[in-house]
Amino acid sequence: MILVFGSINIDLVARVASIPRPGETVLSPAYETLFGGKGANQAVAAARVSLPRRVAIAACVGDDSFGRSARDNLARNGVVVDRVASVAEPTGCAFITVDERGENAITVGSGANASITEAAAQGFQVDAAAVAVFQMEVPFPASLTVARHVRAAGGCVIWNFAPPPPAFAARDLSDLLGATDIFVVNEHEALAAATLLGCETDGFRKAGSHLSGSGCLCVVTAGAQGAFAFHPDGQSERAEAEPIRPVDTTGAGDTFVGVLANGLDEAMPFTHALQRAVRAASLACLAHGAQGHANARATRMMIRLARSTGPQSPR
Ligand code: RIB
């Protein structure tokens, strides 16, 4: 089973020629209201490639129409939503601008996501077969408590350090890494995390290798360059991205994490799980939005590709 402990948002997305600088206003002809939130995106990506009822999410939404539709959307995508609580705060909302190159800038109003506690994960059967997924859009102390619990039971913890909190202390990061099996970062997050641990570098490879020195496997996602995995024993490997022209990179990292979690849940060799996750993330960039219909199509394409090329079929 996979448990995603994390955020649920509604994404308000405007497409612009270029992302506004501080003090600048730009016009977009329209905006879209889409499903998002890193936790929700990861859960949906995992569920789309998993057997029924193998992926659950523990999260909070508001008692409002955004919250109800976000929960329904998760259930429609095969995510178990028993641990999604309704709270007094409004459902989290992300304000996203996407430019002509598919790059984005995101501001998240946390709302209900800030209300989650470790109690949200209660009742989830944690054992050596459990894979738990965390990110940084919900309170860190609650995530850390649940991650330690999963680790103590022999389960596998994947932690996506996104977005890196501005006031995160070195001690917090050490605690996080100490409770993590696989630490997933993009290039910027890798540098931020390595700097926090006292490694001054502007190269994500050195940062990733330094982070794996803490004892967990560090995966750095590097856009068109694919993903690089730095193992604690000093070995490293790379999975290449598909040669695509991105339409929208929003949620590509979340697709990566969700599909990687599924690979580990299905006991695939790590190298294969990594390649498959990179392929899924590449294909997710071909569609608008973090969980759009076309992303589901892209994920199905990815499964077909994995079946035809991978050393071990998903099923
Ligand atoms: O990773 C993309 C996600 O970040 C968006 O869906 C948005 O909700 C923010 O959480």
Side-chain angles (χ1 to χ4, degrees), residues 9 11 36-38 41 94 96 106 108 137 250-251 254 290:
N9 293 331
D11 292 352
K38 291 189 193 302
N41 298 342
I96 304 180
I106 305 179
V108 178
E137 286 188 334
T250 310
D254 303 331

Short mmCIF file of all heavy atoms in Angstrom, two decimals, residues 9 11 36-38 41 94 96 106 108 137 250-251 254 290, ligand 1:
data_model
loop_
_atom_site.label_atom_id
_atom_site.label_comp_id
_atom_site.label_asym_id
_atom_site.label_seq_id
_atom_site.Cartn_x
_atom_site.Cartn_y
_atom_site.Cartn_z
N ASN A 9 -4.79 20.94 -3.24
CA ASN A 9 -5.10 22.32 -3.64
C ASN A 9 -6.03 22.34 -4.83
O ASN A 9 -6.14 21.35 -5.57
CB ASN A 9 -3.82 23.06 -4.10
CG ASN A 9 -2.83 23.28 -2.97
OD1 ASN A 9 -3.21 23.39 -1.81
ND2 ASN A 9 -1.56 23.35 -3.32
N ASP A 11 -5.95 24.54 -8.23
CA ASP A 11 -5.01 25.39 -8.96
C ASP A 11 -5.76 26.37 -9.85
O ASP A 11 -6.57 25.95 -10.69
CB ASP A 11 -4.08 24.53 -9.83
CG ASP A 11 -3.12 23.66 -9.02
OD1 ASP A 11 -3.06 23.83 -7.78
OD2 ASP A 11 -2.43 22.82 -9.64
N GLY A 36 -5.09 20.18 -8.06
CA GLY A 36 -3.66 20.19 -7.82
C GLY A 36 -3.33 19.95 -6.36
O GLY A 36 -4.12 19.37 -5.60
N GLY A 37 -2.17 20.43 -5.97
CA GLY A 37 -1.61 20.14 -4.64
C GLY A 37 -0.61 19.01 -4.81
O GLY A 37 -0.93 17.99 -5.43
N LYS A 38 0.59 19.19 -4.29
CA LYS A 38 1.62 18.18 -4.53
C LYS A 38 1.20 16.80 -4.04
O LYS A 38 1.40 15.80 -4.72
CB LYS A 38 2.93 18.60 -3.88
CG LYS A 38 3.55 19.79 -4.57
CD LYS A 38 4.93 20.10 -4.09
CE LYS A 38 5.38 21.46 -4.58
NZ LYS A 38 5.37 21.60 -6.04
N ASN A 41 -1.51 15.43 -6.37
CA ASN A 41 -0.94 15.08 -7.68
C ASN A 41 -0.16 13.77 -7.60
O ASN A 41 -0.23 12.91 -8.49
CB ASN A 41 0.02 16.18 -8.18
CG ASN A 41 -0.68 17.51 -8.39
OD1 ASN A 41 -1.90 17.57 -8.49
ND2 ASN A 41 0.10 18.58 -8.44
N ALA A 94 -3.73 27.22 -5.16
CA ALA A 94 -2.46 27.62 -5.76
C ALA A 94 -2.72 28.57 -6.92
O ALA A 94 -3.59 28.31 -7.76
CB ALA A 94 -1.70 26.39 -6.24
N ILE A 96 -1.19 30.05 -10.15
CA ILE A 96 -0.12 29.58 -11.05
C ILE A 96 -0.12 30.38 -12.34
O ILE A 96 -1.16 30.55 -12.98
CB ILE A 96 -0.30 28.08 -11.37
CG1 ILE A 96 -0.36 27.27 -10.07
CG2 ILE A 96 0.81 27.57 -12.28
CD1 ILE A 96 -0.54 25.76 -10.26
N ILE A 106 4.52 29.64 -8.95
CA ILE A 106 3.38 29.19 -8.14
C ILE A 106 3.41 29.84 -6.77
O ILE A 106 4.45 29.88 -6.11
CB ILE A 106 3.41 27.64 -7.96
CG1 ILE A 106 3.47 26.93 -9.31
CG2 ILE A 106 2.23 27.17 -7.13
CD1 ILE A 106 3.51 25.40 -9.21
N VAL A 108 1.23 29.34 -3.22
CA VAL A 108 0.22 28.47 -2.60
C VAL A 108 -0.35 29.16 -1.35
O VAL A 108 0.41 29.55 -0.46
CB VAL A 108 0.82 27.10 -2.20
CG1 VAL A 108 -0.24 26.23 -1.51
CG2 VAL A 108 1.36 26.38 -3.42
N GLU A 137 4.34 20.76 1.75
CA GLU A 137 3.21 21.71 1.73
C GLU A 137 2.29 21.57 2.93
O GLU A 137 1.24 22.22 2.98
CB GLU A 137 2.41 21.55 0.43
CG GLU A 137 3.13 22.12 -0.78
CD GLU A 137 2.27 22.14 -2.03
OE1 GLU A 137 1.33 21.32 -2.16
OE2 GLU A 137 2.55 22.98 -2.90
N THR A 250 4.06 21.96 -14.92
CA THR A 250 3.43 21.91 -13.60
C THR A 250 3.09 20.46 -13.24
O THR A 250 2.42 19.76 -13.99
CB THR A 250 2.13 22.74 -13.58
OG1 THR A 250 2.39 24.03 -14.10
CG2 THR A 250 1.59 22.86 -12.14
N GLY A 251 3.54 20.03 -12.07
CA GLY A 251 3.18 18.69 -11.59
C GLY A 251 4.04 17.57 -12.16
O GLY A 251 3.85 16.41 -11.78
N ASP A 254 5.70 15.84 -9.43
CA ASP A 254 4.75 15.05 -8.63
C ASP A 254 4.44 13.73 -9.33
O ASP A 254 4.32 12.68 -8.69
CB ASP A 254 3.45 15.84 -8.43
CG ASP A 254 3.70 17.17 -7.75
OD1 ASP A 254 4.68 17.28 -6.99
OD2 ASP A 254 2.93 18.12 -8.00
N ALA A 290 -1.72 19.99 -13.67
CA ALA A 290 -0.97 19.01 -12.90
C ALA A 290 -1.59 17.62 -12.94
O ALA A 290 -0.92 16.62 -12.73
CB ALA A 290 -0.85 19.47 -11.45
O1 RIB B 1 3.75 20.67 -8.08
C1 RIB B 1 2.66 21.36 -8.63
C2 RIB B 1 1.70 21.74 -7.56
O2 RIB B 1 2.29 22.67 -6.69
C3 RIB B 1 0.45 22.42 -8.08
O3 RIB B 1 -0.57 21.51 -8.39
C4 RIB B 1 0.09 23.38 -6.96
O4 RIB B 1 -1.08 23.06 -6.31
C5 RIB B 1 1.28 23.37 -6.01
O5 RIB B 1 1.01 22.65 -4.90
#
